[in-house]
Amino acid sequence: MSLTPQVAVVGGGYAGFAAAVTLARGGARVTLFEASRTLGGRARVVEKDGYRVDNGQHILLGAYAETLRMLRLVGVKPSVLETRRLALVYPGLCELRAAPLPAPLHLALGLLTARGLGLADKLAMARLMRVLKSRKFVVEPDRPVSSLLAETRQTSTLNRLIWEPLCVAALNTPVDQASAQVFANVLRDSLAASASASDLLLPKVDLSELFPVPASRWLAMRGHTVRTAEPIKTIQPEGEYFRLDGDPWSTRYDHVVVATAPYHVAALVEPLPALAPVVAQIDALRHEPIVTAWLAFDGPVNFPEPMIGMSGGYGQWAFDRAALGGPEGMVSVVISASGAHQEIGKEALEIALLQELQAILGPLPALKWAQVITEKRATFACTPGIERPRCATPHPGLWLAGDYVASEYPATIEAAVHSGVIAARSILKRCGLREQNLLSVP
């Protein structure tokens, strides 16, 4: 192995760039390959009819420590994120707002003063959190979220307006199929942690500009290479080194990080028979979709909050993009996981969502443009007892990174970034190197 390890990162999403930046900080020489011309992977910008929109609406939480650290490292200013205290607002139905107090008072007072929740609802919410805390947020044996909600006697109002929407938003899996343990982990590190951990961080820039593009510039300024529109076909072993089929320079690499979507892994590692069990594990993952409808109106749309909940129809969450630095009149509506919306066409869905928005917000300006973007395999289905592959693989020098890699969390931007950092630090440790100003990862 060379004194300065040569590392290839295949995939230009959040996991790939987190790995690349961490490796560069540790003294490795990094080349990152992205098959598309657009950086970001499944969290990227899409250009259509003169509009630049994200392929899916994402929010970050204050608990996303690794993502926020990585943004700081590559020079992203905090002002690109609209930071708001947790507010679950269903206009005319329910308002639960965290108070400007230290934890746990921020949620205690928020629950006490919540509108649209009766005494039975508030007692039930407190009961669920108390039960989870008493068990140190360990759910044994793991089971569906719906079973946990039934066990702790949650009310139908709470389930409909709080727990089910939070579960589907976080795990992208219906409550009757979602892992209660992973949901408990999410609650532990957000609602039950510090007051800032539950803050909503809403990007004011597109998802490519939020991290992948600044990270690409950061790497280039330090002599590393980011190659777009250059798909890698396979990873070829060559003794203790690797060559990439698709690399025009035919460089020999000491290590390779595969940071693609899980369904692209099998083709890449086909020449590596030791990875057959890992590929089988990845192939066993079931996937869930996310639909984002982008609606551009001919005039401002009056939202009570930049993010509001929707209940009783197809839409789940709606975002006022004008309040987040976007053009006036731009709205996004998100539908996570599988459901009845898959049974109707895009035009019918657009009409239904317009009617739902109008019922919530009142008369709307004329619709100028609409685009429905469906990520059919947006995330893995986060089911009880699911087995996910680890960063390290049976083939020395070959590593995995992505939101599907084993962790305590569901498929989120934070999970992707965390996996990239872990893969990179494992390589640095193997090479006897250490990241500059290394910060520990929980």
Side-chain angles (χ1 to χ4, degrees):
M1 183 178 294
S2 56
L3 294 178
T4 300
Q6 300 283 332
V7 184
V9 177
V10 182
Y14 278 65
F17 274 105
V21 169
T22 305
L23 287 162
R25 282 166 50 81
R29 179 59 53 196
V30 182
T31 302
L32 183 145
F33 295 89
E34 167 55 43
S36 171
R37 295 185 182 278
T38 304
L39 299 175
R42 284 169 292 153
R44 68 188 184 278
V45 69
V46 175
E47 296 191 43
K48 178 78 171 178
D49 302 329
Y51 291 88
R52 284 174 59 89
V53 298
D54 292 325
N55 73 314
Q57 172 69 58
H58 288 255
I59 63 171
L60 284 68
L61 296 177
Y64 283 15
E66 278 301 282
T67 302
L68 296 175
R69 183 181 72 88
M70 197 60 63
L71 293 179
R72 291 193 300 270
L73 285 178
V74 299
V76 175
K77 296 179 180 179
S79 59
V80 304
L81 294 172
E82 175 77 16
T83 302
R84 291 183 171 255
R85 287 191 299 273
L86 176 68
L88 301 178
V89 177
Y90 288 81
L93 294 176
C94 171
E95 287 189 22
L96 173 60
R97 300 175 184 270
L101 294 170
L105 297 177
H106 68 308
L107 280 182
L109 182 58
L111 181 58
L112 187 65
T113 59
R115 300 177 182 177
L117 297 181
L119 179 59
D121 303 315
K122 297 175 181 180
L123 291 175
M125 178 178 283
R127 180 166 54 248
L128 173 61
M129 297 305 293
R130 186 174 64 251
V131 167
L132 289 176
K133 286 182 180 179
S134 71
R135 298 175 182 174
K136 298 182 179 180
F137 291 89
V138 175
V139 180
E140 290 183 343
D142 194 6
R143 53 190 180 276
V145 169
S146 56
S147 173
L148 176 65
L149 298 178
E151 176 195 339
T152 54
R153 304 192 310 281
Q154 299 304 291
T155 66
S156 59
T157 298
L158 270 184
N159 287 342
R160 178 170 56 91
L161 297 179
I162 305 295
W163 299 131
E164 292 179 9
L166 287 181
C167 171
V168 173
L171 277 64
N172 195 37
T173 307
V175 290
D176 59 347
Q177 303 171 32
S179 165
Q181 181 60 71
V182 176
F183 188 53
N185 296 342
V186 172
L187 296 179
R188 177 195 66 202
D189 293 341
S190 56
L191 299 188
S194 66
S196 62
S198 62
D199 283 349
L200 303 176
L201 309 180
L202 305 172
K204 297 180 183 178
V205 296
D206 65 60
L207 293 173
S208 293
E209 288 290 340
L210 180 61
F211 175 57
V213 170
S216 178
R217 287 196 294 261
W218 187 94
L219 289 164
M221 289 173 62
R222 288 154 181 81
H224 303 278
T225 304
V226 174
R227 306 186 68 88
T228 59
E230 289 192 3
I232 299 302
K233 298 176 182 177
T234 57
I235 300 167
Q236 301 286 344
E238 192 173 276
E240 60 180 8
Y241 299 99
F242 300 92
R243 291 192 190 274
L244 307 184
D245 182 5
D247 175 8
W249 300 101
S250 193
T251 306
R252 290 199 315 176
Y253 296 99
D254 301 295
H255 293 267
V256 177
V257 179
V258 178
T260 66
Y263 38 83
H264 294 317
V265 173
L268 285 168
V269 303
E270 187 176 0
L272 305 170
L275 266 75
V278 177
V279 169
Q281 193 176 37
I282 294 173
D283 287 347
L285 296 175
R286 186 168 58 81
H287 294 87
E288 288 282 348
I290 296 179
V291 174
T292 304
W294 291 94
L295 307 169
F297 294 95
D298 189 16
V301 180
N302 296 318
F303 273 63
E305 289 284 329
M307 180 185 87
I308 61 172
M310 304 172 70
S311 180
Y314 294 115
Q316 295 167 355
W317 303 96
F319 296 80
D320 179 8
R321 294 301 304 184
L324 302 172
E328 183 179 75
M330 180 65 77
V331 172
S332 62
V333 180
V334 178
I335 310 172
S336 297
S338 51
H341 61 282
Q342 295 173 293
E343 300 174 7
I344 63 174
K346 286 188 176 182
E347 290 186 4
L349 183 59
E350 288 174 11
I351 293 171
L353 294 177
L354 283 171
Q355 293 172 341
E356 291 172 24
L357 282 173
Q358 187 161 302
I360 295 170
L361 302 174
L364 299 170
L367 183 67
K368 295 192 301 183
W369 176 83
Q371 179 69 25
V372 175
I373 299 176
T374 301
E375 286 283 343
K376 294 182 179 179
R377 296 181 289 184
T379 72
F380 66 89
C382 193
T383 52
I386 188 171
E387 292 188 7
R388 297 154 63 181
R390 298 192 173 276
C391 286
T393 75
H395 194 105
L398 196 288
W399 309 81
L400 300 177
D403 58 13
Y404 68 96
V405 170
S407 77
E408 294 184 315
Y409 305 113
T412 59
I413 283 178
E414 176 73 356
V417 170
H418 187 273
S419 72
V421 171
I422 292 297
R425 289 182 179 171
S426 300
I427 293 171
L428 295 177
K429 183 177 180 180
R430 185 76 60 87
C431 298
L433 299 173
R434 185 175 176 83
E435 183 186 1
Q436 299 171 22
N437 303 318
L438 186 62
L439 299 178
S440 61
V441 179

